[in-house]
Amino acid sequence: MSAAEAIASRRSIRGFLPRPVPRETLEAILALAARAPSGSNIQPWKLHAVTSAPLARLKAALGAAHAAGEPAQREYEYYPTRWREPYLARRRQVGWQLYELAGVARGDREGGLRQQGRNFDFFGAPVGLVFTIDDDLEQGSWLDYGMFLQTIMIAARAEGLDTCPQAAIASYPAILRRELGIPAQETIVCGMALGWADPAEPANRLVSAREAVMDFVTFHDG
């Protein structure tokens, strides 16, 4: 597909088929993503690509922590600590859309927790990616990291695969460090599920809204 088609068709997929992703396909995606730009070409990204038995162990450990009600202990704040408009309304809109598709009614706390818990199974994906960055790098490198993550997602679409970037995976850093041998001097950025979308998963019908160009762009052209 074209670059435009890959970008337009990228969505956060929350249900995957168990079909394995060939190692050579995964390597090709990551090699292409490594072409993402970074300031002074420092390439600040590091990642753990987890499949098969190691992924099953990681899923089990993360899922057990969530089921036990262990509080999230992320190593940085991903979301605002104080929500305000228009961001709060956008968050609520996509949240309710997702829960409606997933069959979780408003006020169904147990259903919401179950849906949240699917994050820690990587939504059934056959590949789990865990991303880290050296903790002495600055905000510019985090900006570079976003471009790297986006390039992985677009490269995956070019192979007919889908993804879901997951801040939730970073909720239990001690588990990730133990299972994957992540050094203490690396900050855990996020995770990402990668695989073949399950067409029978209702949540995969979610297409989140985007603001019109004129709502976020100020043109200076004459």
Side-chain angles (χ1 to χ4, degrees):
M1 63 182 72
S2 69
E5 290 170 332
I7 293 168
S9 64
R10 188 219 63 82
R11 292 177 292 137
S12 291
I13 293 300
R14 295 177 174 87
F16 291 85
L17 298 172
R19 175 184 171 188
V21 175
R23 170 71 175 268
E24 58 269 25
T25 301
L26 180 57
E27 288 190 16
I29 289 169
L30 298 177
L32 186 58
R35 299 302 308 171
S38 62
S40 297
N41 197 36
I42 68 171
Q43 305 170 68
W45 39 78
K46 297 181 179 181
L47 71 90
H48 296 258
V50 195
T51 61
S52 305
L55 180 59
R57 290 194 297 270
L58 180 60
K59 288 179 176 182
L62 293 171
H66 178 265
E70 293 185 21
Q73 296 181 334
R74 293 178 189 167
E75 297 175 325
Y76 71 100
E77 294 292 343
Y78 180 88
Y79 289 109
T81 55
R82 295 181 63 184
W83 286 93
R84 61 178 176 84
E85 299 300 348
Y87 311 112
L88 180 59
R90 293 173 186 168
R91 184 191 195 209
R92 285 174 171 168
Q93 180 188 40
V94 76
W96 287 123
Q97 288 174 333
L98 172 60
Y99 275 27
E100 182 177 6
L101 288 169
V104 179
R106 296 196 182 202
D108 181 1
R109 186 172 181 277
E110 289 187 4
L113 288 172
R114 283 196 302 272
Q115 181 63 28
Q116 292 171 16
R118 296 189 64 205
N119 273 283
F120 303 108
D121 186 50
F122 289 87
F123 298 107
V127 178
L129 303 177
V130 177
F131 301 88
T132 71
I133 186 171
D134 288 345
D135 60 15
D136 59 346
L137 296 180
E138 298 293 346
Q139 288 178 325
S141 293
W142 286 75
L143 293 173
D144 296 340
Y145 219 118
M147 293 186 280
F148 175 63
L149 294 170
Q150 173 77 351
T151 307
I152 291 175
M153 292 184 274
I154 299 308
R157 287 300 302 128
E159 295 287 347
L161 292 156
D162 282 284
T163 56
C164 185
Q166 298 174 267
I169 292 299
S171 297
Y172 301 113
I175 293 173
L176 295 170
R177 293 184 188 284
R178 182 188 72 222
E179 294 292 328
L180 304 179
I182 298 171
Q185 67 271 21
E186 295 178 19
T187 299
I188 297 167
V189 177
C190 66
M192 184 183 294
L194 185 151
W196 311 94
D198 182 355
E201 170 55 54
N204 288 345
R205 299 200 299 270
L206 175 63
V207 180
S208 55
R210 292 295 187 272
E211 299 298 305
V213 169
M214 295 306 297
D215 290 337
F216 64 85
V217 177
T218 301
F219 287 97
H220 303 264
D221 55 4

